């Protein structure tokens, strides 16, 4: 371990403070100020980016240049953990463990600064805003601050895996995310006289049921594809059939062919079922993050290197969740790992009672620090 007992205690205090004070995507002003103050206290250079929230810092000098990334935003969830350091911001919670991510990167930053003379290159530290909103990574890239970066790593905690287990998988590891919002319009009528209208609820129900055939009858069962309708709204009272109904949800895929096919079949089903029921359907399609795609060569290298200093490194299962770390990987060879943060059977990400254990911090810090030296050594040859 690269972390001392005193450093561990410091990081636990930091993590609890951040957990108590979560901020939503794009609103992480206080979080950014807190991070900046800590880094400046270590005499770590903060780079000018023009970003409103989030920051990029730097240690070391010269080439090669690599980057370490942690996300800092929280979710609009009312916390139900019962923790002594539970959120003080009602309705906002670090239910995805970003408090752990940013704290571990702070821990790594401190060690890397202490060992700066040993660094054979430059390390950029990305404390990224708005991951949950899927625009933070793109905004960081748009600044140009990463134009010289040759490799990037990050990780996500997994509360359903045992504390400290590290998962590294080559190629696709997290799904591409697409979002849909559909408005179905019929003709409202009295509930006692449905023949005088065109029922938007019956039509919407048929559409939603038919959408399940995208996976069951169009996709290779050996490949992971998910279609989920997560929200439906129609009507205002018990005896009136409404003019309109809406539904929304998401599609998750792991390759571009499936992604395109799923979208095409979605449009086909919605439009043709709507026509069959005499209603119209307006589709709003929101293109989300691409597949989180780990560079095969770098993944193999890091799996072997991580196994040298850690005895619980595995090839993890695919995750149907999405990650805007994928945006970095479209421009920079990168690896996104999973680190276990609780125990099998624990509440998962985005649950109101999700907890991550502080004992994850030393492993996460080591993941950043040890792999920093390994990658710089590799790229410098």
């Amino acid at each position: 371990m690269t972390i001392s007992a005193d450093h561990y205690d410091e990081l636990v205090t930091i993590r609890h403070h951040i957990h108590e004070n979560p901020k939503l995507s794009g609103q992480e002003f206080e979080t950014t100020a807190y991070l900046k103050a800590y880094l400046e206290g270590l005499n770590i250079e903060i780079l000018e980016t023009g970003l409103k929230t989030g920051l990029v810092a730097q240690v070391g000098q010269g080439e090669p240049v690599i980057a370490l990334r942690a996300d800092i935003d929280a979710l609009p969830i009312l916390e139900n953990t019962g923790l002594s350091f539970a959120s003080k911001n009602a309705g906002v919670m670090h239910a995805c463990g970003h408090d752990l991510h940013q704290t571990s990167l702070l821990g790594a930053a401190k060690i890397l600064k202490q060992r700066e003379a040993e660094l054979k290159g430059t390390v950029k530290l990305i404390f990224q805003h708005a991951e949950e909103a899927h625009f933070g990574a793109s905004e960081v890239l748009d600044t140009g601050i990463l134009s010289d970066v040759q490799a990037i790593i990050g990780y996500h905690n997994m509360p359903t895996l045992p504390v400290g287990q590290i998962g590294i998988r080559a190629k696709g590891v997290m799904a591409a995310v697409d979002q849909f919002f559909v408005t179905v319009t019929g003709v409202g009528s009295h509930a006692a006289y449905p023949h005088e209208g065109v029922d938007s609820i019956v039509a919407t129900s048929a559409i939603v049921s038919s959408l399940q055939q995208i996976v069951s009858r169009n996709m290779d069962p050996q490949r992971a594809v998910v279609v989920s309708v997560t929200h439906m709204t129609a009507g205002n009272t018990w005896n009136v059939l409404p003019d309109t109904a809406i539904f929304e949800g998401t599609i998750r895929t792991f390759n571009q062919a499936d992604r395109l096919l799923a979208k095409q079949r979605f449009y086909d089903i919605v439009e043709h079922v709507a026509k069959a029921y005499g209603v119209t359907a307006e589709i709003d399609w929101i293109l989300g993050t691409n597949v989180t795609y780990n560079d095969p060569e770098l993944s193999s290298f890091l799996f072997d290197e991580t196994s040298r200093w850690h005895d619980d490194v595995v090839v993890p299962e695919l995750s149907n969740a999405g990650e805007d770390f994928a945006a970095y990987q479209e421009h920079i060879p990168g690896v996104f790992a999973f680190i276990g943060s609780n125990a099998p059977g624990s509440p998962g990400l985005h649950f109101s009672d999700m907890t991550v254990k502080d004992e994850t911090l030393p492993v996460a810090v080591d993941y950043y620090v040890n792999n920093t030296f390994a990658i710089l050594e590799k790229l410098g040859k």
Side-chain angles (χ1 to χ4, degrees), residues 130-314:
E131 186 280 325
E132 298 292 356
H134 294 166
F135 63 78
S138 295
E139 289 193 345
V140 173
L141 286 165
D142 287 344
T143 68
I145 202 73
L146 304 183
S147 60
D148 56 352
V149 172
Q150 296 164 256
I152 185 170
I153 65 171
Y155 81 91
H156 206 294
N157 82 92
M158 285 291 170
T160 54
L161 296 179
V163 169
Q165 184 175 84
I166 299 177
I168 299 176
R169 182 187 186 104
K171 301 184 179 180
V173 65
M174 298 184 77
V177 178
D178 290 308
Q179 181 182 346
F180 53 82
F181 186 98
V182 180
T183 303
V184 177
T185 302
V187 178
S189 68
H190 194 297
Y193 304 100
H195 60 289
E196 294 181 355
V198 180
D199 195 335
S200 62
I201 292 179
V202 168
T204 300
S205 299
I207 292 170
V208 171
S209 294
S210 297
L211 288 174
Q212 302 311 307
Q213 296 176 31
I214 293 175
V215 174
S216 67
R217 290 296 176 269
N218 296 120
M219 298 298 173
D220 183 339
Q222 301 300 317
R223 297 207 293 262
V225 178
V226 174
V227 177
S228 291
V229 175
T230 57
H231 174 216
M232 297 175 63
T233 300
N236 297 297
T237 188
W238 68 277
N239 61 350
V240 177
L241 292 172
D243 291 306
T244 61
I246 66 97
F247 68 92
E248 60 182 329
T250 183
I251 294 181
R252 308 296 170 105
T253 51
F254 282 90
N255 68 64
Q256 188 65 7
D258 287 347
R259 192 177 195 181
L260 293 174
L261 177 59
K263 180 179 180 181
Q264 183 59 56
R265 293 298 295 128
F266 183 92
Y267 271 76
D268 290 343
I269 289 170
V270 171
E271 291 172 350
H272 287 88
V273 174
K275 184 176 181 180
Y277 279 79
V279 298
T280 61
E282 179 182 350
I283 302 170
D284 291 323
W285 192 268
I286 301 95
L287 193 66
T289 58
N290 290 330
V291 173
T292 307
Y293 186 87
N294 287 341
D295 180 80
E297 180 183 349
L298 188 58
S299 297
S300 177
F301 173 77
L302 288 186
F303 189 99
D304 292 342
E305 287 296 318
T306 303
S307 297
R308 295 179 189 276
W309 55 265
H310 193 60
D311 60 4
D312 192 9
V313 183
V314 301

Side-chain angles (χ1 to χ4, degrees), residues 9-89:
D9 290 341
E10 177 191 29
L11 293 180
V12 169
T13 299
I14 290 171
R15 191 220 142 200
H16 291 188
H17 170 81
I18 293 172
H19 189 89
E20 284 183 319
N21 297 277
K23 304 299 177 183
L24 295 174
S25 300
Q27 300 177 24
E28 313 96 329
F29 298 101
E30 292 179 17
T31 305
T32 301
Y34 181 84
L35 296 169
K36 183 178 180 180
Y38 182 84
L39 293 167
E40 288 179 337
L42 299 174
N43 293 316
I44 291 176
E45 180 185 6
I46 309 297
L47 301 178
E48 181 56 47
T49 63
L51 294 169
K52 294 180 180 179
T53 58
L55 62 87
V56 180
Q58 179 173 294
V59 293
Q61 60 182 351
E63 294 186 345
V65 181
I66 69 169
L68 314 180
R69 180 270 205 169
D71 36 19
I72 68 173
D73 54 334
L75 287 158
I77 294 175
L78 181 65
E79 183 163 349
N80 185 35
T81 61
L83 294 171
S84 61
F85 54 92
S87 173
K88 296 178 180 178
N89 187 2

Side-chain angles (χ1 to χ4, degrees), residues 7 11 68 103-113 125 364-365 368-369:
H7 192 192
L11 293 180
L68 314 180
T103 302
S104 61
L105 187 52
L106 287 178
K110 183 173 184 177
I111 293 170
L112 292 172
K113 184 63 178 178
L125 311 168
V365 171
Y368 282 131
V369 173

